[in-house]
Amino acid sequence: MKPKRCQNWWWGVVAVWVLGGLASSLSAQQPLTQLVSQVHPKVVKIYGAGGFRGLEHYQSGILISPEGHVLTVWSYVLDTDNLIVHLADGRRVEAQLLGADPRLEMALLKLPGEGYPHFKLEPVVLEPGAWVLALSNLYGVAVFDEPVSVQHGVVAARVPLRARRGAYDTPYRGPVYILDAIVNNPGAAGGALVDRHGRLVGMIGKELRNSLTNTWVNYAIPIDRLLPTIEQIRQGRYVPPKPEESSQVRNPVTLELLGIVLVPDVLPRTPPFVEEVRPGSPADRAGVLPDDLILFVNDQHLIQSCQALRQQLQKIPRGETIKLTVMRGQELRELVIKTQ
Amino acid sequence: MVLVSGGLATGWAEDVPPQVLQDQQRRIEVIRRARAATIAIFGPGGRGGGSGVIISPDGYALSNFHVTSGAGVAMKCGLPDGNIYDAVIVGVDPTGDVSLIKLLGREDFPTVPLGDSDQVEVGQWCFAVGNPFLLATDFQPTVTFGIISGVHRYQYPAGTLLEYADCIQTDAAINPGNSGGPLFNMQGELIGINGRGSFEKRGRVNVGVGYAISINQIKNFLGYLRSGRIVDHAELGATVGTDPDGRVVVTDILESSDAYRRGLRYGDELVEFAGRRITSTNAYKNILGTLPRGWRVPLVFRRQEEQWTVLVRLQGAHRPGELQQRLQRRRRPGPNPGPQKPNDHHSPKLPPVVAKHYEARPGFANYYFNRLEQKRVQKLLDKLGHFSPSSRWAFAGEIPGGLKAQVVLETDRVQLILPGGTTSLEINQEEPNLTQQLSPPGSGGLVQALYLWRRLLCQRIEHFGGMYYWGTVPLPGHPGLVDCLVGLHGGVETRVYVHPQDGRILALEMFADDQSDPCEIYFDDYRRVQGRLIPHRWEVHYGDDVYQVFKWTQVEIQQR
């Protein structure tokens, strides 16, 4: 009976992992608790917007540079001017949002000062069966100097989430680590997945429910997928824009020209939601719809307010074709507007 | 299981280092012993249920209050050996979600050793044993394995009494039904009682976040639970908060609290509590949540540049009778008495063996066990010798400065002779009232306290007057915990602290009312007098002061 033999072999492999993992850690328990204490200070608690109607106002973050760069998930929690980070030593500092890429569901924060404990960024890729620890502030159980929670698990697979097309409500389209530990809890998003050497291998993603089976997936976004964007955002922070780029062009594009009316700009940072699209306008022809949230113009920095959008448009001369990235419901759309 | 052993037989075991196989064998053995003492608890008629663990050969077992409260007085406990035993409630801690029960019918139950949960570290392996989803209809418990995810966690009361302070967090699967069951370290020592998970939108199943009540908290309460009482947690009598500088400060304080009398005031910074540092309000709540009502613990606080260390008596987290009232409210069957309808205390349906081990009394989960503890402590006190109720006790010696002092204790009379004068107390044996004329002045009522001391030794616990076993408590200057008796006689409350091995009375306190300091007598230098053990050194404290130190050189007990 061939299939059965196959199963036998597979179980053997599982047993080797499990026994190997257990035994080495049992006989040498100190290194595991030591590993935890090494990585604990590199994971932070983030407090921002939310706190009502089942929306937690907290999430987790990962320190990735001595200058206080914090990798986390892009979410409504970051949508505030008062972003507070609790460090493992109990310090509370204000964080600044450097940039975000909603397609990777990631954001980069910057803390003031330097000398932070941090993970080294390296393109580590894990194979299925690899043993991992997940560190996050799930359920917000830890505050101030209390260490974040630690869970253990095994990488079950590295697969694209879209393998179940339409089942998961996420703009992320790349591969994920599927885990056998229940790591994606409220507040856990942005936490660190580390391997047994304490290396950062992934970022715990937001809670995702499979709408077909009503089950929850446990996953992390592999660090190798995030590295290029992290680097871009960091460089964007440190390389000041060239003078000609920041200066206005002679004949810039305007919202009126495109036929877009935004929601009233009443907040310090009103999200650039489309209120109305003038019929027959370039925006209308490109398929822009009311309630679209404008995220990017020509793939530049994330646009965080109506004002930022207007400033961005001032850099684009009339007659150019504009690529607009919008969020429609849970979906990201790229629309091309011809201004001529 | 079959598949794995098949794999072993076909040869890959040769590649496994012997150390790994040895460790595995050791783990199997540890888990075997841990399983043997884990019980499945069922309510009357097999309804409800959860888990528990046996901690003494005579059948004392720990579980969650929320597991046993559904069952009421009597429950059935299944052991992995396939036997089912009747069990009776002993004591409950509704706030801490702990209950102590006793399995009946054996003196050689399998047990597990208690560990030290303060030594538990994050990242350490652990395993939970229990009855998840009430699967153990054959009493075979389920073992789940994980790591310690967090320690010293504080979980706010979830809309009920139950507060989880200083608890252990694990990713070992804790599901409904695991409640009351044990969490072990890899040495097979009990480090916690699993009782709570973060169950939210995914339904009532494990989400990798389980919480266990630390065994060190339970050790604090174990003596209280054995007393058969409904026990209460502690309050300082003050509320605390974090100020803008991150210091934990007093935001409000009751003037009637002992903390206030010891000098704690609004705005003072709390530095240390019960020997642990306070770094956040969570840290404070963690410490407070592990302490029983009535304990006296050190508190370090700071005001400007000055720092004080004081001993504070902790008041109850609930008003007298409040817990009992709340529990009765829970017990009252609702409009829809479902399968959880608890057993009526006075129901004649108690199994005969349980009925023999049960006695109802207000304020107690089961007064039978208080009697048991009273008998045990009386046996200890009997080691001091026999004191006839009509005996006359005469003490002569000196106080500091070489001055002469004398004390005479009789059935209805106390006389204290000091260089400054003589204090006498006559007690009306028909209507004793000790609340009047606490004397000598500045002692808080030394003559009254001495009368009560003699009364306990002569009348014994049984006839002292309203005396019961309180539990085990810390005593200043004494390592470990000591037995404590509480009595109500003559309108005052007496607390007597007894050495848990040799029965020496280490201290006696007399509280004339519950809002002022007691008179405290510390007894020491026990020597034999006519075959009886009598303390020859008494140190009398009142409030923050030492009132007097007596050293007796001549002691006479005249039996009449």
Side-chain angles (χ1 to χ4, degrees):
Chain A
M1 292 257 287
K2 232 175 182 173
K4 208 167 192 178
R5 281 246 303 276
C6 187
Q7 214 178 14
N8 241 332
W9 167 85
W10 193 81
W11 271 102
V13 174
V14 172
V16 170
W17 292 335
V18 173
L19 294 183
L22 299 191
S24 52
S25 31
L26 283 183
S27 56
Q29 191 163 80
Q30 201 47 35
L32 182 56
T33 50
Q34 263 173 19
L35 175 68
V36 169
S37 57
Q38 273 165 26
V39 291
H40 248 150
K42 303 175 185 176
V43 181
V44 298
K45 307 133 205 158
I46 300 172
Y47 300 89
F52 48 87
R53 287 206 306 176
L55 296 175
E56 293 80 22
H57 69 290
Y58 51 84
Q59 63 186 40
S60 308
I62 309 162
L63 279 160
I64 53 166
S65 83
E67 300 87 34
H69 287 94
V70 173
L71 174 66
T72 185
V73 293
W74 187 69
S75 81
Y76 63 87
V77 173
L78 307 181
D79 198 7
T80 171
D81 284 329
N82 187 25
L83 205 53
I84 301 295
V85 166
H86 287 192
L87 299 164
D89 60 10
R91 270 186 296 160
R92 285 159 280 182
V93 294
E94 207 164 313
Q96 179 202 346
L97 178 63
L98 278 193
D101 188 343
R103 286 162 297 195
L104 292 173
E105 292 222 287
M106 62 86 80
L108 200 61
L109 313 180
K110 174 78 172 68
L111 311 182
E114 51 190 38
Y116 290 97
H118 64 281
F119 287 103
K120 211 173 108 190
L121 289 179
E122 38 188 339
V124 188
V125 175
L126 293 186
E127 296 301 318
W131 192 94
V132 287
L133 286 179
L135 289 93
S136 73
N137 194 18
L138 45 79
Y139 290 103
V141 287
V143 292
F144 303 131
D145 63 339
E146 293 172 342
V148 296
S149 298
V150 186
Q151 296 169 296
H152 81 292
V154 168
V155 172
R158 180 181 162 114
V159 288
L161 266 183
R162 66 164 187 272
R164 299 292 298 147
R165 191 187 298 272
Y168 294 112
D169 238 4
T170 172
Y172 180 72
R173 290 292 177 264
V176 294
Y177 289 125
I178 299 291
L179 305 169
D180 77 339
I182 307 169
V183 300
N184 305 81
N185 279 299
L193 192 73
V194 303
D195 70 1
R196 61 189 323 155
H197 308 293
R199 296 180 301 183
L200 179 67
V201 296
M203 176 176 73
I204 297 170
K206 294 183 202 170
E207 289 181 279
L208 275 185
R209 192 174 62 91
N210 184 321
S211 55
L212 301 177
T213 59
N214 198 22
T215 52
W216 300 77
V217 66
N218 296 298
Y219 73 104
I221 299 174
I223 193 67
D224 57 298
R225 304 296 295 188
L226 302 173
L227 288 180
T229 313
I230 292 171
E231 216 32 58
Q232 278 165 22
I233 296 176
R234 280 185 63 172
Q235 280 166 7
R237 171 74 180 80
Y238 288 115
V239 181
K242 288 172 195 148
E244 57 267 28
E245 265 185 19
S246 62
S247 67
Q248 297 176 10
V249 295
R250 197 169 299 162
N251 235 349
V253 174
T254 62
L255 284 168
E256 292 70 29
L257 192 76
L258 298 178
I260 293 173
V261 180
L262 294 178
V263 294
D265 192 1
V266 290
L267 300 171
R269 246 173 31 199
T270 312
F273 277 104
V274 176
E275 173 113 330
E276 214 182 304
V277 179
R278 197 156 42 78
S281 65
D284 187 31
R285 287 199 296 276
V288 179
L289 292 180
D291 290 342
D292 281 355
L293 175 63
I294 298 171
L295 297 179
F296 294 97
V297 176
N298 289 343
D299 287 335
Q300 299 269 319
H301 307 299
L302 175 71
I303 293 177
Q304 292 184 57
S305 65
C306 293
Q307 200 194 352
L309 175 61
R310 288 198 178 89
Q311 281 168 2
Q312 184 74 21
L313 289 178
Q314 283 177 346
K315 297 174 190 167
I316 302 169
R318 289 183 195 187
E320 270 192 16
T321 298
I322 302 173
K323 193 166 120 193
L324 217 56
T325 308
V326 302
M327 181 87 129
R328 186 171 296 166
Q330 283 293 325
E331 220 178 321
L332 287 180
R333 293 268 178 121
E334 288 189 350
L335 307 169
V336 176
I337 306 184
K338 295 194 173 82
T339 55
Q340 271 314 6
Chain B
M1 199 62 198
V2 174
L3 292 171
V4 171
S5 43
L8 278 169
T10 51
W12 59 260
E14 286 152 29
D15 303 332
V16 178
Q19 177 68 41
V20 173
L21 295 174
Q22 269 173 32
D23 284 349
Q24 178 185 246
Q25 205 48 49
R26 196 174 158 270
R27 190 173 68 247
I28 289 170
E29 180 55 26
V30 163
I31 290 177
R32 190 190 62 75
R33 272 182 280 135
R35 282 176 90 248
T38 304
I39 53 177
I41 301 179
F42 300 96
R47 289 176 303 227
S51 312
V53 62
I54 309 173
I55 55 168
S56 75
D58 54 350
Y60 282 99
L62 292 170
S63 183
N64 277 143
F65 170 69
H66 81 259
V67 168
T68 59
S69 62
V73 172
M75 53 218 99
K76 303 275 185 194
C77 295
L79 256 67
D81 65 9
N83 288 315
I84 190 157
Y85 294 88
D86 278 301
V88 63
I89 195 78
V90 177
V92 297
D93 169 10
T95 317
D97 197 14
V98 178
S99 60
L100 185 69
I101 62 174
K102 190 172 190 293
L103 277 64
L104 305 169
R106 246 172 95 173
E107 292 297 320
D108 61 342
F109 282 106
T111 65
V112 293
L114 305 190
D116 178 356
S117 49
D118 285 341
Q119 302 301 318
V120 172
E121 278 184 273
V122 178
Q124 190 181 315
W125 296 106
C126 60
F127 65 97
V129 190
N131 184 11
F133 304 116
L134 309 184
L135 286 172
T137 45
D138 58 352
F139 316 141
Q140 296 303 308
T142 300
V143 181
T144 50
F145 183 75
I147 63 172
I148 302 295
S149 300
V151 292
H152 303 304
R153 291 298 194 211
Y154 180 78
Q155 289 284 291
Y156 279 90
T160 56
L161 284 170
L162 314 180
E163 176 189 47
Y164 276 54
D166 211 37
C167 59
I168 301 171
Q169 181 194 346
T170 179
D171 70 355
I174 306 295
N175 280 296
N178 270 106
S179 283
L183 183 70
F184 292 102
N185 62 17
M186 294 315 292
Q187 284 72 51
E189 293 167 336
L190 182 63
I191 54 172
I193 294 294
N194 304 311
R196 185 156 159 177
S198 285
F199 303 127
E200 281 182 19
K201 53 192 146 210
R202 300 190 194 188
R204 287 183 55 76
V205 292
N206 169 51
V207 291
V209 190
Y211 296 101
I213 303 151
S214 76
I215 197 66
N216 286 16
Q217 172 181 332
I218 295 174
K219 283 181 197 165
N220 287 351
F221 280 90
L222 206 50
Y224 276 44
L225 290 168
R226 288 179 70 111
S227 76
R229 293 188 298 123
I230 299 167
V231 307
D232 195 5
H233 279 237
E235 269 299 338
L236 187 58
T239 56
V240 305
T242 312
D243 76 357
D245 299 331
R247 304 176 316 151
V248 179
V249 296
V250 176
T251 53
D252 203 358
I253 184 159
L254 285 174
E255 290 191 15
S256 59
S257 66
D258 189 52
Y260 186 88
R261 287 197 297 273
R262 300 286 75 79
L264 189 68
R265 292 292 181 274
Y266 172 86
D268 287 350
E269 179 191 0
L270 302 187
V271 180
E272 242 181 76
F273 188 31
R276 285 167 60 178
R277 282 205 79 79
I278 297 176
T279 52
S280 63
T281 46
N282 263 14
Y284 167 76
K285 284 178 181 168
N286 271 339
I287 301 164
L288 187 64
T290 60
L291 296 172
R293 171 190 160 202
W295 272 32
R296 203 173 173 199
V297 294
L299 174 73
V300 181
F301 62 95
R302 193 180 289 151
R303 189 181 307 151
Q304 281 139 15
E305 295 308 305
E306 248 183 305
Q307 186 162 304
W308 286 272
T309 303
V310 295
L311 277 174
V312 284
R313 291 173 205 277
L314 302 173
Q315 55 193 67
H318 300 87
R319 292 186 309 275
E322 185 186 349
L323 276 176
Q324 174 122 5
Q325 260 174 27
R326 288 226 206 177
L327 300 192
Q328 277 162 354
R329 221 175 297 146
R330 285 163 70 107
R331 289 231 166 84
R332 196 180 303 149
N336 191 5
Q340 290 291 323
K341 189 187 171 192
N343 206 349
D344 185 353
H345 277 197
H346 309 287
S347 163
K349 279 181 278 178
L350 283 184
V353 60
V354 172
K356 265 197 279 177
H357 293 86
Y358 178 68
E359 186 179 339
R361 182 175 284 210
F364 290 84
N366 185 351
Y367 190 72
Y368 171 87
F369 284 93
N370 200 275
R371 280 193 199 283
L372 220 57
E373 293 301 313
Q374 288 175 36
K375 276 183 205 152
R376 179 180 63 81
V377 177
Q378 184 58 59
K379 240 181 172 167
L380 288 172
L381 291 176
D382 288 345
K383 291 184 181 182
L384 301 178
H386 174 73
F387 299 90
S388 136
S390 54
S391 55
R392 180 180 185 276
W393 305 10
F395 297 82
E398 57 186 40
I399 56 174
L403 302 168
K404 296 251 178 285
Q406 249 183 292
V407 165
V408 177
L409 304 178
E410 287 167 287
T411 310
D412 52 4
R413 203 171 68 93
V414 177
Q415 198 175 38
L416 169 65
I417 303 165
L418 286 171
T422 299
T423 311
S424 296
L425 177 72
E426 307 276 341
I427 297 102
N428 178 348
Q429 291 299 295
E430 299 303 313
E431 285 175 45
N433 181 358
L434 299 172
T435 58
Q436 305 300 312
Q437 293 169 334
L438 297 178
S439 50
S443 72
L446 174 59
V447 291
Q448 283 86 352
L450 289 173
Y451 163 77
L452 292 163
W453 171 55
R454 180 191 169 279
R455 182 176 174 86
L456 172 61
L457 287 170
C458 295
Q459 300 290 339
R460 314 177 82 229
I461 295 172
E462 203 181 345
H463 298 113
F464 178 87
M467 185 166 262
Y468 60 96
Y469 179 70
W470 178 259
T472 50
V473 300
L475 187 71
H478 187 86
L481 302 180
V482 303
D483 282 309
C484 177
L485 298 164
V486 173
L488 293 166
H489 171 76
V492 300
E493 182 180 304
T494 309
R495 291 186 168 245
V496 185
Y497 301 89
V498 181
H499 191 286
Q501 275 89 43
D502 61 24
R504 274 179 301 147
I505 294 178
L506 300 166
L508 181 141
E509 294 172 340
M510 189 210 64
F511 296 77
D513 66 73
D514 54 8
Q515 299 204 350
S516 51
D517 291 326
C519 170
E520 307 164 25
I521 313 175
Y522 295 88
F523 296 107
D524 201 356
D525 189 17
Y526 272 81
R527 294 186 214 167
R528 289 213 173 265
V529 177
Q530 299 150 276
R532 298 175 193 83
L533 276 169
I534 304 291
H536 282 59
R537 185 177 182 278
W538 307 349
E539 197 173 304
V540 184
H541 292 219
Y542 179 56
D544 298 325
D545 303 318
V546 176
Y547 166 75
Q548 197 52 274
V549 181
F550 298 93
K551 284 181 182 164
W552 305 118
T553 44
Q554 275 179 293
V555 179
E556 208 180 331
I557 307 283
Q558 295 171 344
Q559 299 280 58
R560 293 182 185 176

